[in-house]
Amino acid sequence: MRMPSPLITFVGTTPNIGTSIAALAAACRIAEDTKTSVGFLCLNLKSAKSHRYLGVDNPVETLDSLRPELRSSSLLPEKLLLATHSVMEGLHVLFGNVLRDQAEFFTSEEVDHLLDVAQQTFDIVIADVGAYWDNAATLCALRRANTRLVATTGALSHFQEDGHRWLKQLSPLYGISADQYEAVIIHAPGRIGGFHVKEICNELGVPLFGELKLSGPMLSQLDSGTLDQWLISDEQGKQAMAQPAKHIIQRYGLTR
């Protein structure tokens, strides 16, 4: 059995700020720039939307469809691969839980088993846990992560209030200190003024890992379910999360 592949976990300070977009864009860039297989796990148990963003309105296979194998710890790499959606060569996406009323029933043992199999199946695993901390998926993916990326914005309520409550109050209770995160700053379209990146990182107490600029055309891609086309074909889309992806590639020695 090979060594577990790196696990990169994205967590947002606040819902609906673009954490999933940042995670998907990073996964796309890594798959483009390397000869590796990238597994993207949507572990957002309460508000999974990756299938919508990628134009699969009624996915056959989602995280919740794997519950029988996860409960019995019998998930095989072949089954996991079959359950994923191929976005482009090398990028395999497991859509998140669509049964929101079942979110609290996922156990840490089930999530750990999924991560074990994913880290044996893919060369690198990107986990998107959204911004809800009260579930096993978020806690397990953060505790096991080799790199923890916290996404936030320049809004004071996001990086100060939410960031302080999650990173400095709750996270240490689970054995993860605030300085074990790195920041991805997301810039909303049309926002003028606000706080500088350095000020945001100083308040959070974490170093800057990268930035993502959202745009009106990109947000329209979410509604039309064509985010993958924007990331792959649009000139602006092809630059989204390019620098953070390079950091990950270099950090883990992935083949370019």
Side-chain angles (χ1 to χ4, degrees):
M1 183 177 292
R2 71 180 189 181
M3 291 290 292
S5 61
L7 171 63
I8 317 300
T9 299
F10 282 76
V11 62
T13 58
T14 313
N16 303 316
I17 60 172
T19 304
S20 296
I21 300 169
L24 273 167
C28 182
R29 297 285 84 82
I30 295 170
E32 278 183 337
D33 294 345
T34 68
K35 297 179 180 179
T36 58
S37 62
V38 181
F40 180 91
L41 306 181
C42 178
L43 297 183
N44 194 329
L45 301 185
K46 295 187 175 182
S47 184
K49 297 185 181 73
S50 57
H51 58 289
R52 292 284 185 180
Y53 296 161
L54 298 176
V56 185
D57 292 341
N58 297 296
V60 176
E61 298 283 359
T62 57
L63 174 60
D64 47 274
S65 69
L66 297 178
R67 287 296 300 283
E69 289 83 2
L70 297 180
R71 284 174 183 157
S72 59
S73 299
S74 61
L75 180 64
L76 297 175
E78 295 80 7
K79 172 66 175 178
L80 178 57
L81 273 172
L82 288 173
T84 61
H85 172 73
S86 180
V87 174
M88 57 184 294
E89 184 178 358
L91 178 54
H92 309 269
V93 175
L94 176 65
F95 295 133
N97 173 55
V98 297
L99 300 177
R100 298 185 181 185
D101 59 328
Q102 301 293 312
E104 276 76 21
F105 296 105
F106 279 86
T107 67
S108 58
E109 291 79 11
E110 292 171 358
V111 177
D112 278 332
H113 180 54
L114 173 64
L115 295 173
D116 284 339
V117 176
Q119 289 182 275
Q120 291 296 325
T121 304
F122 305 107
D123 296 315
I124 186 169
V125 178
I126 308 294
D128 168 32
V129 300
Y132 298 96
W133 286 60
D134 57 343
N135 62 79
T138 298
L139 299 178
C140 289
L142 284 175
R143 290 169 71 176
R144 291 178 52 137
N146 301 102
T147 293
R148 302 174 182 90
L149 299 178
V150 56
T152 193
T153 77
L156 187 64
S157 61
H158 294 171
F159 71 83
Q160 186 183 72
E161 177 67 19
D162 292 340
H164 179 80
R165 302 297 180 189
W166 290 134
L167 266 64
K168 297 183 180 180
Q169 289 189 352
L170 185 63
S171 188
L173 298 179
Y174 296 100
I176 310 170
S177 61
D179 60 6
Q180 291 180 281
Y181 293 84
E182 295 168 276
V184 173
I185 310 301
I186 299 175
H187 303 281
R191 185 177 179 87
I192 301 175
F195 294 86
H196 294 294
V197 167
K198 185 176 181 180
E199 294 173 311
I200 298 170
C201 291
N202 285 341
E203 181 67 29
L204 286 173
V206 301
L208 176 68
F209 192 81
E211 300 177 65
L212 173 64
K213 293 184 179 181
L214 305 182
S215 67
M218 185 279 295
L219 294 176
S220 69
Q221 303 291 325
L222 302 183
D223 293 333
S224 61
T226 54
L227 178 62
D228 53 338
Q229 296 178 26
W230 184 80
L231 289 171
I232 296 170
S233 303
D234 185 89
E235 286 304 314
Q236 184 182 14
K238 288 190 287 187
Q239 297 304 313
M241 293 296 287
Q243 196 60 43
K246 288 181 181 178
H247 292 333
I248 294 172
I249 292 169
Q250 293 170 357
R251 180 173 294 182
Y252 296 105
L254 303 178
T255 304
R256 294 185 66 85

